[in-house]
Amino acid sequence: MPPVADPKVDANIIEQVRSQVLDILHPHYDTPFNFLRWLQSYEFNVSKTVHNLRKHLKWRKERHLDEDARGLQSSAVCLYSVYTLFILCCVRSYLKKYFRLKVTAEYAPLSVVGWNRHEGGNYLVVVDQSGRIDIGGVMKSIQPTEYLHQLYRNFENFLEMIMEQEAKTGAQCSLLYVFDLDGLSFDPMLLGILSGPFRVSWQSLGTHYRELIGKFIVINTPSYINVLWSALSPFVPEQAKSRITITGRTWREDLLELAEVECLPERYGGKIPDEKVFRDPKPVPKDLYWRPKPDYPSVASMHRISTPAGKTRTMTYFAETGTELQIYTQNDSDFSFGIFYSEKEVRGITVYL
């Protein structure tokens, strides 16, 4: 975590930032430590902080994150009744109990261990068991956007817990994020996921949850960890790299340097029973895999195109008045597209991929 300036200076700078974002600031997010995190991220440069914080606050407002998070997609909506959804939308405190919705809670869970008393007790210990996640099953059943939005829900939950702790202690808090790769097997699709959905997800989290992760430790690393890190490290900011610890065979000792045994589960050498904190990932049932509907056209009949990552492609179609357009897509990874209509210049529809 970057060094904190003198408290009096902090108060003055925080007020400078706060006064310039009041028009889009929700009362729920209005805490000194939230401003301090953004200032630390931009080395106390007020203009840069205000510029980026305003974008974040607009992003929060569009998704109603300080109310009921109804602007986020959910892959588990079908698991709740209409009545339950009505209650979730109306009662904010009730909604927070369901931030870890069933789909990701079972197949890609994050476990909150609790507050670490080491170094002043300002770290919330969170365990990500990515090594045991059925990555292929998740990719085949949950759209990347839905998965990313669930990560937002998780981090909103962490932020809420941190804000409550900061209000109690009067001290800045952050996450001790334990990234457990136990059980990870090398799969040909792994590097593609790392450089694709995984990279995009974590870059987005880093953009919006500045300074929330104080320390990030990778444990149970496989023999090919250098291959994975080589694929991922070019996308990791230098500022973030200083907080990442990639351990080897002595990972238990390394972890105990960051957290006390009273704050860790038994499988990590701690004293907390595993069943109290862990919800181990389950394989995704194949009946949850996405399948095209019976009336969808076959893949063979579709116009096949290839668009490299980060690139765009334009396709123009001409349509007569009264023509009904049906657009079907089946793609290997997440993408965005827009449809534009013009009568004079293009006389058709242009699709940007």
Side-chain angles (χ1 to χ4, degrees):
M1 185 175 298
V4 179
D6 180 87
K8 294 182 180 179
V9 177
D10 280 352
N12 293 332
I13 296 179
I14 286 173
E15 187 53 38
Q16 288 182 46
V17 173
R18 183 177 180 274
S19 64
Q20 296 182 62
V21 298
L22 274 176
D23 57 314
I24 53 174
L25 177 64
H26 193 284
H28 176 255
Y29 195 78
D30 187 5
T31 76
F33 292 109
N34 281 338
F35 294 116
L36 181 58
R37 275 184 275 274
W38 283 88
L39 280 162
Q40 290 170 337
S41 178
Y42 293 100
E43 299 179 336
F44 290 88
N45 184 308
V46 173
S47 60
K48 287 184 178 179
T49 300
V50 170
H51 174 73
N52 289 283
L53 178 55
R54 286 190 66 87
K55 290 194 292 185
H56 172 70
L57 292 176
K58 181 180 178 181
W59 178 82
R60 297 186 67 83
K61 184 176 181 180
E62 290 172 347
R63 289 154 183 79
H64 306 278
L65 296 184
D66 293 302
E67 298 171 7
D68 53 21
R70 61 185 180 273
L72 296 180
Q73 293 184 22
S74 168
S75 58
V77 169
C78 61
L79 300 176
Y80 296 97
S81 67
V82 174
Y83 176 74
T84 303
L85 282 175
F86 175 78
I87 296 296
L88 290 176
C89 290
C90 293
V91 185
R92 184 171 181 271
S93 61
Y94 188 67
L95 174 67
K96 286 187 176 294
K97 297 179 182 179
Y98 289 89
F99 264 6
R100 293 174 59 189
L101 296 175
K102 189 173 181 180
V103 169
T104 50
E106 289 189 3
Y107 309 125
L110 293 177
S111 302
V112 178
V113 179
W115 288 99
N116 178 25
R117 292 191 294 272
H118 195 56
E119 295 187 10
N122 294 331
Y123 288 97
L124 179 64
V125 182
V126 173
V127 177
D128 183 334
Q129 301 178 82
S130 285
R132 300 189 181 192
I133 293 176
D134 176 10
I135 298 177
V138 170
M139 291 294 101
K140 293 176 182 177
S141 57
I142 303 175
Q143 292 185 10
T145 300
E146 292 174 335
Y147 181 75
L148 176 59
H149 282 210
Q150 184 57 34
L151 285 178
Y152 290 153
R153 290 180 182 273
N154 286 328
F155 270 72
E156 281 297 307
N157 198 17
F158 301 152
L159 177 62
E160 182 75 12
M161 297 174 71
I162 284 175
M163 288 166 57
E164 291 177 359
Q165 185 75 354
E166 288 172 339
K168 292 178 182 178
T169 64
Q172 185 177 0
C173 303
S174 59
L175 296 176
L176 169 56
Y177 201 96
V178 182
F179 198 69
D180 189 352
L181 296 182
D182 182 40
L184 184 68
S185 58
F186 192 82
D187 187 284
M189 67 183 299
L190 188 57
L191 292 179
I193 292 174
L194 269 181
S195 59
F198 184 87
R199 173 183 61 84
V200 171
S201 298
W202 277 95
Q203 283 183 330
S204 183
L205 289 174
T207 297
H208 293 291
Y209 298 95
R210 313 295 294 190
E211 305 297 321
L212 201 63
I213 296 180
K215 296 179 181 178
F216 190 105
I217 181 169
V218 186
I219 64 173
N220 286 312
T221 54
S223 58
Y224 49 87
I225 184 63
N226 289 337
V227 176
L228 303 181
W229 179 243
S230 296
L232 191 61
S233 60
F235 308 109
V236 180
E238 290 300 322
Q239 184 181 11
K241 288 180 181 178
S242 63
R243 305 181 191 186
I244 299 175
T245 300
I246 299 179
T247 64
R249 295 180 179 179
T250 61
W251 63 267
R252 280 190 174 86
E253 290 80 358
D254 296 335
L255 184 56
L256 286 171
E257 289 182 5
L258 302 177
E260 295 183 349
V261 292
E262 292 83 4
C263 306
L264 291 174
E266 292 173 336
R267 72 174 63 167
Y268 296 157
K271 295 184 178 180
I272 303 176
D274 290 346
E275 61 272 13
K276 286 190 175 182
V277 294
F278 281 123
R279 184 176 296 179
D280 291 332
K282 300 178 181 179
V284 180
K286 291 186 178 180
D287 59 356
L288 291 182
Y289 287 7
W290 181 88
R291 292 179 177 83
K293 296 180 180 179
D295 59 342
Y296 276 22
S298 66
V299 175
S301 66
M302 293 183 178
H303 180 193
R304 185 182 297 273
I305 63 171
S306 177
T307 306
K311 303 297 182 180
T312 62
R313 182 178 292 269
T314 302
M315 297 186 298
T316 302
Y317 295 92
F318 299 94
E320 299 294 334
T321 301
T323 301
E324 181 179 300
L325 299 176
Q326 294 182 336
I327 300 177
Y328 299 89
T329 66
Q330 185 166 338
N331 44 288
D332 296 328
S333 59
D334 209 18
F335 74 101
S336 300
F337 71 94
I339 301 176
F340 304 89
Y341 172 77
S342 174
E343 292 183 350
K344 296 181 179 180
E345 297 180 6
V346 182
R347 295 183 301 152
I349 293 178
T350 303
V351 181
Y352 294 90
L353 298 178

